[in-house]
């Protein structure tokens, strides 16, 4: 989600992705959460087309299996497992099943997310659900799966689907901004900021406490996810796991009511480029923003320090 303005006509992100250096194979295992539709589904399809083994996860088991079956009908190597990232018990069950069926992991895409607002709305009625899904869900799942990564400099990658709505410059509270900008930021500090936001929501004072103005609960969830990405990237720097964020921009999905400047397939194409960068071009702790340019490599996607 990039903007709440009325979108222009949708355009593709870029020309089709043609990898110049193939380091992956059918043995490369990728998990994509929230993937029965939208960007997640398109990303599963793109990765499977490129020859990876992909696990499509979905909160709704029936919809997930239907989505996976549609891709298998195209001859793609796709598996489906149920997962509700907002439910710690579901995460525990998923991880145990994944360990039994696959054992090791190379790529994790934290795509599952929710918002309960229309484009021009800004209610925080469901703030706790949004935070539990978009931030805590991604964090808990990542921490549970970290022991299963192969820890290879060429394959181990985590990509968190995020938004510029969660950029630090959207914060109007200087004290909170200073905390999140700190080079010594900790997970405990991030969670303290999240608790403060939920307390402000509970007490009815969130509107004048300097939180982001647009899609506030969603923006705070992505703000926390971006901060966690930076902390995790720093923790594993030099230890064979890259951790980055990717903002696909204002994309035509159910979350935006089908409105947007880009198609889900276009966003997935750029996401696949980032995920499959050659090892020598792989970075960590970056915030990538999708581009509608015709750049030939993922390195051309705009990126900045988180």
């Amino acid at each position: 989600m990039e903007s709440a303005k009325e979108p222009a006509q949708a355009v593709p992100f870029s020309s089709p992705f043609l990898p110049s250096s193939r380091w992956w194979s059918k043995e490369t295992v990728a998990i994509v959460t929230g993937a029965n539709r939208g960007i997640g589904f398109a990303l599963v399809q793109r990765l499977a087309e490129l020859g990876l083994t992909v696990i499509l996860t979905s909160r709704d088991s029936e919809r997930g299996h239907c989505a996976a079956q549609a891709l298998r009908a195209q001859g793609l190597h796709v598996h489906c497992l149920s997962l509700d990232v907002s439910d710690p018990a579901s995460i525990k069950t998923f991880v145990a099943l994944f360990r039994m069926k696959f054992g090791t992991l190379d790529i994790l895409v934290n795509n599952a997310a929710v918002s309960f607002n229309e484009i021009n709305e800004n209610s925080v009625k469901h703030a706790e659900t949004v935070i539990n899904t978009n931030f805590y869900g991604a964090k808990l799942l990542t921490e549970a799966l970290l022991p299963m990564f192969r820890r290879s400099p060429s394959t181990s990658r985590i990509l968190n689907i995020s938004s510029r709505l969660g950029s630090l410059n959207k914060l109007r509270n200087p004290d909170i901004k200073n905390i999140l900008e700190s080079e010594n930021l900790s997970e405990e500090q991030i969670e303290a900021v999240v608790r403060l936001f939920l307390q402000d929501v509970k007490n009815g004072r969130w509107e004048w406490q300097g939180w982001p103005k647009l899609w506030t609960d969603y923006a705070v969830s992505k703000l926390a996810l971006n901060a966690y990405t930076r902390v995790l990237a720093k923790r594993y720097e030099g230890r064979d796991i890259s951790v980055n964020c990717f903002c696909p921009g204002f994309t035509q999905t159910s979350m935006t009511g089908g409105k947007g400047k880009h198609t889900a397939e276009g966003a997935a194409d750029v996401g696949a480029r980032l995920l499959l960068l050659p090892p020598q071009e792989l970075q960590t702790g970056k915030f990538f923003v999708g581009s509608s340019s015709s750049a030939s490599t993922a390195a051309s996607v705009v990126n900045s320090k988180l």
Side-chain angles (χ1 to χ4, degrees):
M1 178 70 185
E2 178 187 9
S3 169
K5 296 180 180 179
E6 190 68 20
Q9 184 177 2
V11 294
F13 263 58
S14 59
S15 56
F17 173 38
L18 298 175
S20 58
S21 175
R22 185 186 179 100
W23 56 263
W24 63 91
S25 69
K26 186 180 178 181
E27 304 304 314
T28 305
V29 178
I31 293 173
V32 183
T33 67
N36 64 284
R37 61 182 178 179
I39 294 173
F41 177 83
L43 193 50
V44 168
Q45 182 175 27
R46 196 73 191 97
L47 293 175
E49 287 172 348
L50 290 166
L52 289 79
T53 293
V54 190
I55 293 87
L56 178 158
T57 84
S58 174
R59 180 175 55 183
D60 186 303
S61 178
E62 183 176 351
R63 290 179 179 177
H65 283 292
C66 287
Q69 185 56 42
L71 295 176
R72 290 191 201 109
Q74 301 175 30
L76 301 178
H77 200 53
V78 174
H79 302 266
C80 179
L81 293 176
S82 297
L83 173 62
D84 180 355
V85 297
S86 68
D87 180 3
S90 178
I91 291 176
K92 184 177 180 179
T93 299
F94 167 80
V95 171
L97 191 56
F98 175 82
R99 182 185 291 111
M100 181 178 68
K101 286 179 171 287
F102 300 95
T104 55
L105 174 64
D106 300 290
I107 293 171
L108 171 62
V109 182
N110 285 308
N111 169 73
V114 295
S115 175
F116 296 88
N117 285 308
E118 298 294 334
I119 293 297
N120 296 312
E121 293 180 350
N122 194 28
S123 167
V124 293
K125 181 179 179 181
H126 302 284
E128 191 168 351
T129 298
V130 171
I131 293 293
N132 285 341
T133 304
N134 301 2
F135 168 57
Y136 282 116
K139 181 178 183 295
L140 289 173
L141 178 64
T142 299
E143 297 290 342
L145 289 171
L146 278 170
M148 279 173 262
F149 274 88
R150 291 185 212 265
R151 301 291 179 86
S152 163
S154 65
T155 61
S156 297
R157 299 144 190 245
I158 298 172
L159 188 65
N160 294 322
I161 307 302
S162 190
S163 170
R164 279 184 285 190
L165 288 178
S167 300
L168 282 170
N169 62 13
K170 305 296 183 184
L171 267 176
R172 295 167 293 123
N173 185 315
D175 293 333
I176 297 172
K177 188 173 182 180
N178 286 338
I179 291 172
L180 295 179
E181 282 181 330
S182 171
E183 288 297 322
N184 298 314
L185 179 67
S186 67
E187 293 177 36
E188 291 76 17
Q189 288 175 307
I190 298 170
E191 294 188 9
V193 168
V194 169
R195 287 194 300 271
L196 178 61
F197 169 67
L198 292 176
Q199 192 63 43
D200 283 346
V201 169
K202 182 179 179 180
N203 294 335
R205 60 173 184 251
W206 61 276
E207 289 181 282
W208 58 85
Q209 291 299 310
W211 300 105
K213 289 184 176 181
L214 295 176
W215 275 25
T216 303
D217 54 2
Y218 180 85
V220 171
S221 73
K222 295 301 185 180
L223 184 75
L225 182 62
N226 293 346
Y228 171 66
T229 300
R230 179 159 62 93
V231 169
L232 193 63
K234 187 175 181 180
R235 188 204 307 176
Y236 284 95
E237 190 170 11
R239 294 172 61 189
D240 299 338
I241 298 181
S242 76
V243 192
N244 295 298
C245 281
F246 169 48
C247 170
F250 190 31
T251 305
Q252 298 167 356
T253 65
S254 59
M255 188 179 291
T256 63
K259 298 177 181 179
K261 297 178 181 179
H262 319 290
T263 65
E265 292 75 18
D269 185 60
V270 177
R273 292 173 181 231
L274 292 172
L275 285 168
L276 301 179
L277 279 168
Q280 65 273 15
E281 295 180 23
L282 191 61
Q283 302 180 72
T284 192
K286 295 291 185 177
F287 184 93
F288 292 87
V289 179
S291 169
S292 59
S293 70
S294 59
S296 60
T297 69
S300 299
V301 178
V302 176
N303 74 82
S304 62
K305 184 178 179 180
L306 282 162

